[in-house]
């Protein structure tokens, strides 16, 4: 059974940094497309960042470009989202998502559509106060 467990959320002030983690079981993250999405109260789920397995490539949503960094630790089977210069508008529940590509070509696709991911974590709340 594939499971993703997020951790590391919390309450921070504007300008602070925070790192959230996503640990996978039943799935080898180095072979999967791993992504972070977020959902603020009353809003649709929004793409944040994605990391492709091989070759490793990253892509970010416009609102977080230059501030957030997605990375992975294959030994820990964990994906991270480092968030710097946080703003109140970054307040949301942050979700980790995974999709195992069925081909080498599919592994190269940068997928920002949440409907394309079939495994999700339970989410971790990040709150940024002004």
């Amino acid at each position: 059974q594939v499971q993703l467990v997020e951790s590391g959320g919390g309450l921070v002030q504007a300008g602070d940094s925070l790192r959230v983690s996503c640990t996978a079981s039943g799935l080898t993250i180095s072979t999967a497309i791993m992504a972070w999405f977020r959902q603020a109260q009353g809003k649709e789920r929004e793409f944040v960042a994605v990391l492709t397995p091989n070759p490793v490539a990253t892509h970010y949503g416009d609102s977080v470009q230059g501030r957030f960094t997605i990375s992975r630790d294959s030994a820990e089977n964990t994906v991270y989202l480092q968030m710097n210069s946080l703003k109140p508008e970054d307040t949301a529940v942050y979700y980790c998502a995974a999709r195992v590509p069925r081909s080498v070509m599919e592994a190269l696709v940068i997928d920002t559509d949440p409907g394309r991911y079939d495994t999700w974590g339970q989410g971790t709340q990040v709150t940024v106060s002004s």
Side-chain angles (χ1 to χ4, degrees):
Q1 181 181 358
V2 178
Q3 192 173 15
L4 302 175
V5 179
E6 299 99 332
S7 61
L11 172 63
V12 297
Q13 293 187 330
D16 284 353
S17 297
L18 190 67
R19 188 179 77 166
V20 291
S21 304
C22 169
T23 299
S25 58
L27 170 76
T28 302
I29 64 166
S30 60
T31 65
I33 299 169
M34 303 298 299
W36 286 95
F37 291 81
R38 67 185 182 186
Q39 189 163 18
Q41 196 167 5
K43 295 188 177 181
E44 292 186 354
R45 195 160 293 192
E46 177 190 13
F47 167 75
V48 175
V50 64
L51 186 148
T52 61
N54 186 21
V56 175
T58 58
H59 180 71
Y60 299 90
D62 290 343
S63 60
V64 307
Q65 179 75 48
R67 299 187 297 124
F68 290 12
T69 302
I70 187 171
S71 63
R72 74 184 188 200
D73 183 332
S74 297
E76 297 293 328
N77 213 33
T78 297
V79 175
Y80 301 100
L81 183 68
Q82 176 68 43
M83 302 180 288
N84 298 329
S85 302
L86 282 161
K87 306 174 182 180
E89 51 263 43
D90 294 318
T91 295
V93 177
Y94 283 71
Y95 295 93
C96 178
R99 182 168 70 84
V100 177
R102 290 168 291 185
S103 68
V104 172
M105 290 303 297
E106 190 175 324
L108 302 176
V109 175
I110 300 292
D111 246 325
T112 63
D113 178 0
R116 294 275 293 161
Y117 293 83
D118 44 34
T119 303
W120 291 83
Q122 82 289 349
T124 185
Q125 176 71 47
V126 173
T127 303
V128 185
S129 64
S130 58

